[in-house]
């Protein structure tokens, strides 16, 4: 087959990128915009060894799962990959993905998998769920200022001011910013030349509090007529924080390091469960707060805390899970590699008056063994404290030097929670978890392939998989989060 050759194919599955998968003459094809169950005419766009890419030319018989995408630019925009697939079918495919990985990568028995797996926890209304949006600002062909999103695999701005997975207020905010730019002749930043001022508009909303933040990312130090702009923005209900972020670098990175608050507070507040979080333009925060609460609620349920437990929360980010668990545990230790996230975690503990959560900067695979062995390891030095029987960590990571005292009970936690990035847990981390022999491990995962690899390891070393629940955090994409309970086998 060559480029532009056409063929008729039935779509049997969907890829992790949301493309339809079909077979023709022994080859696998990935076909954007086709959905499972469709019979289509496709045209080859690129051939590789053993597989190819094709585009959808014509739907011959639409799939029973095909729905009309609600968003007018669903096809061009790189954000939602499977809006044309019914939400029920999206959830079913996500379930199937996790199930297949448990069998294929985890090596678990089919019947066992069907016993431990729960249906995907979906959303009642899978739109308007994102609390954060970062709109690039650009020019259209006629030179009009537009806000939108980058097209799939490109940096062309596809104009859309009302993304349907984002909040309703985005539209009004963007219109205020754009009409201000027009009035003051302010140009959008242009990647090709590095000229122009306004790069992006970042908008965040606390779903529980209604507080809204707008941060305008500029290629300069100031914005003409800023007081007039903030006055207009402050008329939007819930507006709490308006800031400028300075990014003069010629880079793909959206945010620079410097933020100037120009109106209101430097942060907005939101709640997950009863725990308050202060969110600034640079802080990390989960983007689907409704589903996050369900996910962490399950993590808490699986941790089965009574108030007497010692818990490690590895890969803790800003401490969301740690603080959620601390309310029901004796002591929580959180470990995270990004120092700023740990600063946020500590501040979040303090605004909630949570005193039984200790946060440490470092790699989980270094901090945990150091706690377990009680001696120097990977950037840590420690000394015994004979009085408390505890261990004192002297940290020296990322030029941070701070003393953290952890109790000897940290070596024998009751529960370990992990929420690693896509690459999963480091083997050294898993090995130490097993040595510590917690009764329960709660594994929160954003990649079911690495999750199943790690489950296989844990289950070959004295642990047993009890429950797997996928949770849909990113509706209309093929990403799926899962939370699992793994228990120590006791004879
Ligand atoms: N539970 C967190 C989010 C976890 S996302 C929350 O709710 O905020 C995964 C986190 O792991 C990220 O914050 C990332 O910075 C961190 N991370 C990545 N590699 C790590 C490592 N080796 N050790 C510790 N943390 C790591």
């Amino acid at each position: 087959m060559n480029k532009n050759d056409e063929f008729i194919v039935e779509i049997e599955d969907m890829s992790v990128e949301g493309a339809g998968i079909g077979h023709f003459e022994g080859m696998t094809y990935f076909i954007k915009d086709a959905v499972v169950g469709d019979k289509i005419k496709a045209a080859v766009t690129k051939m590789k060894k053993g597989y190819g890419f094709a585009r959808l030319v014509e739907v011959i018989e639409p799939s029973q799962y095909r729905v009309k995408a609600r968003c007018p630019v669903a096809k061009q925009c790189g954000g939602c990959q499977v809006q044309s697939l019914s939400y029920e079918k999206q959830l079913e495919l996500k379930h199937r993905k996790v199930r297949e990985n448990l069998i294929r990568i985890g090596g678990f028995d089919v019947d066992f998998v069907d016993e431990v797996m729960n249906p995907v926890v979906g959303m009642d209304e899978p739109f308007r769920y994102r609390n954060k949006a970062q709109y690039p600002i650009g020019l259209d062909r006629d030179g009009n200022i537009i806000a939108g999103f980058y097209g799939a695999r490109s940096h062309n701005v596809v104009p859309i001011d009302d993304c349907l997975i984002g909040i309703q207020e985005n539209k009004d905010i963007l219109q205020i910013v754009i009409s201000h730019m027009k009035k003051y002749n302010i140009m959008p930043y242009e990647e090709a030349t590095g000229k122009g001022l306004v790069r992006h508009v970042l908008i965040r909303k606390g779903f529980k509090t209604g507080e809204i933040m707008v941060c305008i990312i500029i290629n300069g130090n100031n914005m003409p007529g800023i007081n007039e702009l903030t006055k207009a923005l402050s008329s939007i209900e819930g507006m709490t924080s308006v800031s400028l972020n300075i990014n003069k670098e010629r880079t793909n990175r959206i945010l620079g390091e410097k933020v100037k608050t120009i109106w209101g507070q430097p942060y907005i507040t939101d709640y997950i469960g009863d725990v308050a979080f202060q969110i600034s333009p640079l802080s990390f925060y989960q983007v689907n707060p409704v589903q996050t609460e369900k996910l962490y609620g399950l993590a808490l349920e699986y941790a089965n805390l009574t108030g007497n437990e010692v818990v490690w929360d590895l890969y803790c980010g800003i401490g969301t899970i740690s603080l959620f668990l601390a309310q029901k545990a004796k002591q929580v230790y959180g470990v995270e590699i990004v120092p700023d996230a740990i600063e946020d975690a500590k501040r979040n503990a303090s605004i909630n008056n949570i005193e039984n959560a200790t946060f440490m900067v470092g790699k989980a695979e270094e901090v945990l063994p150091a706690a377990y062995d009680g001696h120097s390891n990977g950037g840590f030095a420690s000394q015994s404290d004979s009085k408390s029987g505890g261990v004192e960590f002297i940290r020296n990571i990322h030029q941070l030097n701070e003393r953290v005292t952890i109790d000897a009970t940290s070596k024998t936690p009751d529960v370990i929670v992990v929420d690693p990035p896509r690459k999963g847990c480091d083997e050294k981390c898993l090995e130490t978890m097993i040595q510590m022999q917690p009764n329960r491990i709660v594994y929160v995962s954003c990649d079911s392939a690495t999750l199943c690899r790690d489950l296989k390891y844990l289950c070959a070393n004295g642990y047993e998989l009890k429950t797997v629940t996928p949770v849909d955090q990113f509706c209309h994409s093929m990403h799926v989060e899962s939370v699992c309970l793994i228990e120590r086998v006791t004879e």
Side-chain angles (χ1 to χ4, degrees):
M1 297 283 277
N2 295 308
K3 193 168 173 180
N4 292 327
D5 282 355
E6 293 187 348
F7 58 104
I8 309 283
V9 64
E10 275 177 32
I11 305 301
E12 299 152 31
D13 203 350
M14 305 291 289
S15 75
V16 279
E17 283 85 30
I21 298 178
H23 292 91
F24 183 72
E25 292 179 346
M27 292 280 276
T28 303
Y29 287 91
F30 295 91
I31 308 156
K32 191 178 164 314
D33 304 320
V35 307
V36 66
D38 275 347
K39 184 176 178 188
I40 62 159
K41 186 193 273 181
V44 175
T45 50
K46 204 193 251 175
M47 293 303 290
K48 298 266 185 188
K49 219 176 162 198
Y51 64 97
F53 295 95
R55 67 188 156 81
L56 172 66
V57 176
E58 184 192 341
V59 178
I60 297 170
E61 277 168 36
S63 160
Q64 57 170 311
Y65 311 114
R66 190 174 256 288
V67 294
K68 190 175 180 316
R70 262 204 234 176
C71 176
V73 294
K75 245 180 155 176
Q76 297 96 301
C77 169
C80 294
Q81 302 137 338
V82 291
Q83 252 198 47
S84 308
L85 194 61
S86 76
Y87 188 57
E88 291 68 36
K89 192 66 184 175
Q90 290 180 25
L91 295 181
E92 192 193 309
L93 285 180
K94 290 182 188 197
H95 186 273
R96 196 164 87 195
K97 184 95 230 150
V98 178
R99 183 177 179 273
E100 276 171 4
N101 283 339
L102 283 165
I103 297 164
R104 194 170 54 83
I105 303 172
F108 298 102
D109 196 68
V110 176
D111 292 341
F112 174 77
V113 169
D114 290 335
E115 210 175 286
V116 295
M117 254 195 100
N118 292 316
V120 182
V121 179
M123 295 197 81
D124 296 335
E125 173 53 32
F127 287 92
R128 304 268 183 225
Y129 65 80
R130 275 188 72 103
N131 58 9
K132 173 183 171 183
Q134 305 180 108
Y135 286 86
I137 306 296
L139 292 178
D140 69 8
R141 280 205 199 94
D142 305 323
N144 300 310
I145 299 171
I146 50 167
F149 283 110
Y150 292 131
R153 288 185 292 276
S154 87
H155 264 209
N156 299 329
V157 180
V158 176
I160 172 108
D161 55 7
D162 187 22
C163 167
L164 296 179
I165 60 171
I167 57 169
Q168 234 133 8
E169 292 90 337
N170 286 340
K171 189 175 179 177
D172 291 341
I173 292 168
L174 291 167
Q175 276 170 0
I176 290 174
V177 175
I178 288 174
S179 51
H180 182 80
M181 288 175 69
K182 282 184 189 152
K183 183 170 173 190
Y184 281 82
N185 261 320
I186 300 169
M187 291 303 282
Y189 174 74
E190 199 185 23
E191 261 185 11
T193 60
K195 296 214 168 74
L197 186 68
V198 178
R199 299 175 72 124
H200 277 82
V201 177
L202 163 69
I203 304 166
R204 292 178 120 168
K205 181 176 183 180
F207 277 24
K208 292 258 174 84
T209 57
E211 293 184 3
I212 295 179
M213 157 190 294
V214 175
C215 176
I216 301 167
I217 296 107
I218 54 171
N219 173 38
N221 295 324
N222 244 314
M223 192 157 167
I226 190 72
N227 290 338
E228 192 179 324
L229 176 61
T230 50
K231 190 159 177 245
L233 287 172
S234 65
S235 70
I236 289 186
E237 201 188 324
M239 193 59 61
T240 304
S241 167
V242 180
S243 59
L244 292 175
N245 175 276
I246 316 298
N247 183 1
K248 296 189 217 167
E249 305 289 318
R250 291 191 69 173
T251 157
N252 279 342
R253 280 191 48 187
I254 295 178
L255 289 158
E257 278 164 24
K258 197 167 158 205
V259 181
K260 293 202 266 190
T261 305
I262 45 180
W263 184 87
Q265 306 270 356
Y267 53 79
I268 54 169
T269 303
D270 196 24
Y271 287 83
I272 295 181
D274 296 328
V275 185
F277 291 89
Q278 285 179 353
I279 309 151
S280 66
L282 295 175
S283 11
F284 171 84
Y285 189 67
Q286 298 281 352
V287 296
N288 185 337
V290 172
Q291 293 300 93
T292 297
E293 196 164 308
K294 294 183 193 166
L295 184 72
Y296 294 172
L298 287 169
L300 183 65
E301 183 188 319
Y302 297 168
N304 195 16
L305 302 175
T306 61
N308 298 316
E309 291 81 4
V310 172
V311 182
W312 281 90
D313 178 20
L314 306 177
Y315 314 88
C316 71
I318 59 164
T320 328
I321 301 180
S322 319
L323 299 175
F324 214 59
L325 300 178
Q327 300 166 304
K328 302 256 168 70
K330 186 168 105 193
Q331 173 67 37
V332 178
Y333 297 105
V335 182
E336 160 62 44
I337 200 169
V338 176
D340 285 346
I342 287 294
E343 287 312 310
D344 281 351
K346 288 179 184 168
R347 201 186 61 238
N348 290 328
S350 120
I351 61 172
N352 289 286
N353 299 316
I354 293 176
E355 285 170 359
N356 58 339
T358 304
F359 292 101
M360 290 166 261
V361 179
K363 292 184 180 170
E365 60 272 26
E366 290 176 358
V367 176
L368 203 64
Y372 183 66
D373 296 342
H375 55 70
S376 169
N377 188 322
F380 278 75
S382 61
Q383 69 193 44
S384 275
D385 173 346
S386 51
K387 260 184 259 158
S388 69
V391 175
E392 186 173 307
F393 280 17
I394 301 155
R395 301 187 288 127
N396 188 7
I397 292 176
H398 299 282
Q399 281 99 46
L400 279 175
N401 264 302
E402 200 176 319
R403 280 157 183 258
V404 178
T405 306
I406 67 172
D407 198 87
T409 56
S410 67
K411 286 187 182 198
T412 52
D414 303 279
V415 182
I416 299 182
V417 179
V418 297
D419 183 5
R422 301 188 88 169
K423 69 175 197 276
C425 294
D426 188 276
E427 196 168 319
K428 182 74 193 163
C429 177
L430 294 174
E431 191 190 309
T432 314
M433 284 161 65
I434 288 163
Q435 287 170 337
M436 287 178 152
Q437 300 194 332
N439 289 330
R440 282 180 297 284
I441 295 172
V442 178
Y443 197 132
V444 181
S445 158
C446 56
D447 185 321
S448 62
T450 56
L451 165 70
C452 293
R453 177 200 68 199
D454 293 350
L455 288 176
K456 186 176 185 178
Y457 185 97
L458 293 170
C459 293
N461 288 285
Y463 281 82
E464 191 177 26
L465 180 60
K466 289 288 182 185
T467 310
V468 180
T469 310
V471 177
D472 192 24
Q473 295 258 69
F474 305 104
C475 318
H476 313 299
S477 84
M478 288 301 290
H479 294 292
V480 56
E481 296 259 334
S482 307
V483 52
C484 309
L485 170 62
I486 304 128
E487 278 183 2
R488 190 154 72 92
V489 182
T490 45
E491 259 116 340

